Amino acid sequence: VLSLEIGGMEQVIADLVKALDRDRFIPVVACLESLGPIADEISAQGIRVIKVPPMIPKLSLLFPVQLVRVIKETGASVIHAHSGCWYKTVIAGRLAGVAKIIYTEHGRTFPDPPAVIMMDRLISRFTDRIVAVSLELSSYLQEVVGIPAGKISTIMNGIDLGRFPDTSNRIPGPT
């Protein structure tokens, strides 16, 4: 992920890594730009958070050497990348020899420039599974970007209501 600043995508990532079965997975979260307050929340749960050393902007699209080093150092066998770092993460994962790479698309600014659509189409070929957080986003990835439907899963974003106090007794009922 780019960072763990306060945001919806960042909270989804925190919820995902905290819910992983620690008998099967050792979660590590790598941030490409900055850490942020959600990094502290995740770290307090015993999950390792790494700030990837700065990369040379244009060169890192072709050879993200610092990210390759972090991936190799962690011994990752599965990578789950999120919006904002698809290209670099997939390239780094493949160069590091990672077995499976998953990417979750959380949203876009429409319309995408043709160059972005072309890059997304290309990098999708090296991504094992793509998750869209809405039906509309899934349709866009299929119809505009040209990713085969069989490669995309749609998992709707949700809110863990258990994080909030019970407010059912304060909601007015029918009159």
Side-chain angles (χ1 to χ4, degrees), residues 46-98:
I47 296 166
R48 186 173 173 205
V49 179
I50 299 169
K51 164 61 178 78
V52 176
M55 294 184 268
I56 301 168
K58 291 181 181 173
L59 179 62
S60 66
L61 277 176
L62 299 172
F63 187 60
V65 65
Q66 293 84 345
L67 185 54
V68 172
R69 285 185 186 137
V70 166
I71 293 167
K72 285 184 175 183
E73 182 263 321
T74 63
S77 57
V78 176
I79 291 177
H80 186 174
H82 295 267
S83 294
C85 55
W86 191 4
Y87 319 111
K88 290 178 185 180
T89 305
V90 170
I91 291 168
R94 292 301 176 210
L95 290 171
V98 173

Side-chain angles (χ1 to χ4, degrees), residues 27-166:
V28 177
V29 179
C31 298
L32 299 184
E33 293 180 354
S34 63
L35 295 179
I38 294 178
D40 295 333
E41 174 190 333
I42 293 171
S43 294
Q45 298 287 320
I47 296 166
R48 186 173 173 205
V49 179
I50 299 169
K51 164 61 178 78
V52 176
M55 294 184 268
I56 301 168
K58 291 181 181 173
L59 179 62
S60 66
L61 277 176
L62 299 172
F63 187 60
V65 65
Q66 293 84 345
L67 185 54
V68 172
R69 285 185 186 137
V70 166
I71 293 167
K72 285 184 175 183
E73 182 263 321
T74 63
S77 57
V78 176
I79 291 177
H80 186 174
H82 295 267
S83 294
C85 55
W86 191 4
Y87 319 111
K88 290 178 185 180
T89 305
V90 170
I91 291 168
R94 292 301 176 210
L95 290 171
V98 173
K100 294 289 179 186
I101 300 176
I102 303 161
Y103 170 70
T104 296
E105 177 68 58
H106 292 268
R108 293 178 167 241
T109 303
F110 296 102
D112 281 327
V116 170
I117 293 169
M118 183 183 70
M119 287 179 69
D120 287 351
R121 188 175 299 141
L122 176 64
I123 207 67
S124 73
R125 295 178 182 163
F126 302 96
T127 308
D128 296 296
R129 196 76 179 155
I130 297 164
V131 177
V133 300
S134 71
L135 294 172
E136 294 81 8
L137 197 48
S138 179
S139 294
Y140 180 85
L141 292 171
Q142 292 171 57
E143 296 165 15
V144 176
V145 179
I147 300 170
K151 196 169 208 172
I152 301 171
S153 296
T154 304
I155 302 174
M156 308 290 216
N157 266 350
I159 298 171
D160 177 7
L161 295 178
R163 295 177 53 214
F164 301 97
D166 182 15

